[in-house]
Amino acid sequence: TFGGHYFEESQGMAYSYGYNRAENAWDYSSTQSLILELADIVSRGGNFLLDIGPKADGTIPPLMQERLLQIGKWLSINGDAIYGTRPWKEASQWSSGDRNYKPKKGESLLLKQTIDPDPGYAVKQMFFTYKDHNLYCILPQYPENNRVIIKGLHLDKTSSIFFLTTGKQLSWERAGNNIEVKMPSYDPRDFSAPYAYVLKISHIATE
């Protein structure tokens, strides 16, 4: 929910809501952009309706097919963080900086807030979703130093953290009021859908 009520974000893959033969490849949102839109909307309790308007002969344009296949591949690995979830206490974790970025014409505000920030502006470091006493952290970018800091999270010894991309358990430790997670070194062979990265944290006692 957003503001106490359910909502749905409805949009096309490009500027038009449906197929427009005048649009070119660079008019379309990237797969990463669409997946981050999905994560952002779901973290706030909403649904994402993505239109794929067919051509006049009823076929789906190949570029739209490609986006759907890539999103589907990501969901086959990370869908546990999306399907059946609900909002956590906070929708996202911000870095320090100014959160009031005003996008220029043609810019995506979400991309400027995640993977392409201007100097001095805050970044959404992760989106949160929650299900069955599990907290999911969706990271738009892979951490350069192979460390993820989750602010204000309290875990006990029964909690485990898994990296959905590889299915492997990760080590973590308390760092003051935060949790520091040690990520594996980035290996392209293990990352078949490198559009966003998900941590699953088990045995979260409270919502």
Side-chain angles (χ1 to χ4, degrees):
T1 61
F2 180 70
H5 60 83
Y6 293 102
F7 74 98
E8 182 171 81
E9 175 73 21
S10 180
Q11 69 178 58
M13 287 191 178
Y15 295 111
S16 302
Y17 191 78
Y19 174 68
N20 183 342
R21 64 181 182 180
E23 289 177 330
N24 296 301
W26 48 84
D27 295 317
Y28 281 71
S29 297
S30 67
T31 301
Q32 183 178 34
S33 177
L34 293 171
I35 287 173
L36 293 180
E37 288 277 2
L38 174 64
D40 177 55
I41 292 165
V42 173
S43 74
R44 293 182 285 118
N47 293 324
F48 187 23
L49 175 61
L50 183 62
D51 184 77
I52 55 166
K55 298 169 69 172
D57 62 1
T59 61
I60 304 300
L63 191 56
M64 290 185 178
Q65 293 183 41
E66 180 188 49
R67 294 291 191 274
L68 291 176
L69 290 169
Q70 291 169 335
I71 293 170
K73 177 65 174 179
W74 186 85
L75 285 170
S76 71
I77 299 169
N78 301 290
D80 199 28
I82 299 295
Y83 299 121
T85 61
R86 52 184 170 175
W88 176 243
K89 298 174 184 178
E90 301 289 341
S92 57
Q93 175 177 296
W94 289 84
S95 70
S96 59
D98 186 352
R99 300 185 185 184
N100 299 310
Y101 182 80
K102 299 296 188 292
K104 302 177 180 64
K105 185 177 180 180
E107 282 187 339
S108 163
L109 175 60
L110 185 58
L111 291 183
K112 297 300 292 186
Q113 291 177 330
T114 51
I115 64 172
D116 186 29
D118 284 358
Y121 284 95
V123 170
K124 287 184 176 181
Q125 298 171 322
M126 62 190 74
F127 301 100
F128 297 116
T129 59
Y130 176 83
K131 178 175 62 180
D132 299 330
H133 301 291
N134 297 310
L135 178 65
Y136 300 87
C137 307
I138 305 173
L139 313 174
Q141 294 195 74
Y142 203 79
E144 292 183 359
N145 57 4
N146 297 331
R147 292 187 308 131
V148 173
I149 304 295
I150 307 172
K151 301 175 183 177
L153 184 64
H154 302 283
L155 301 179
D156 59 34
K157 293 181 180 180
T158 64
S159 296
S160 300
I161 301 180
F162 296 90
F163 187 29
L164 292 190
T165 298
T166 62
K168 295 180 180 178
Q169 188 169 342
L170 303 177
S171 61
W172 60 273
E173 60 184 20
R174 296 184 184 89
N177 291 325
N178 306 325
I179 296 297
E180 181 176 316
V181 185
K182 184 178 181 181
M183 301 288 287
S185 298
Y186 189 94
D187 186 344
R189 295 170 297 182
D190 289 335
F191 294 69
S192 58
Y195 309 112
Y197 311 93
V198 181
L199 303 179
K200 177 180 180 179
I201 307 175
S202 69
H203 297 96
I204 299 295
T206 60
E207 302 179 39

